[in-house]
Amino acid sequence: QVCRALRTPQLPVWLCSLSRRHGVLFSTDRLLLSDWKRERVFHLHFYSGQREQLETALLTIDTHSHPWEQDQHEEPSSAGKRWPPLEMAIRTKWAGATVSWDGADPFF
């Protein structure tokens, strides 16, 4: 039997399988998925359990960024630009969002 809390988590949680590696992406904000105003700028935590990850990564997601705020030399659709798989997965939920790793190097 699966307990009720596991069927309906109290916090937003996504299990990720990217490039044959697994991780958990989650928010500590209970209202993230029920209040659209909270989806402007928010934080997501990511943990993969891989050796290279010493602590949970804190990502800042901005869903209302503007194209003119991006570096003019780097077009998101250019063939030379490569996005980390985790950022691409986040954009399947929030299309066009910018993802900041808050100073950490993208490792996943």
Side-chain angles (χ1 to χ4, degrees), residues 5-52:
L6 290 177
R7 292 184 299 212
T8 310
Q10 302 216 354
L11 297 172
V13 176
W14 296 271
L15 299 176
C16 303
S17 177
L18 306 164
S19 305
R20 296 183 182 193
R21 294 168 53 187
H22 299 72
V24 177
L25 188 65
F26 64 96
S27 173
T28 56
D29 184 358
R30 294 174 189 249
L31 300 176
L32 180 61
L33 296 178
S34 62
D35 182 3
W36 64 269
K37 291 178 255 177
R38 298 220 186 227
E39 289 189 15
R40 164 72 169 88
V41 176
F42 56 94
H43 297 286
L44 292 177
H45 302 267
F46 181 73
Y47 184 73
S48 67
Q50 301 294 322
R51 281 181 279 156
E52 64 269 14

Side-chain angles (χ1 to χ4, degrees), residues 38-72:
R38 298 220 186 227
E39 289 189 15
R40 164 72 169 88
V41 176
F42 56 94
H43 297 286
L44 292 177
H45 302 267
F46 181 73
Y47 184 73
S48 67
Q50 301 294 322
R51 281 181 279 156
E52 64 269 14
Q53 185 179 9
L54 301 176
E55 59 187 42
T56 302
L58 180 65
L59 309 173
T60 301
I61 314 301
D62 183 353
T63 61
H64 288 79
S65 61
H66 298 92
W68 57 83
E69 293 174 348
Q70 294 178 0
D71 185 0
Q72 296 297 325

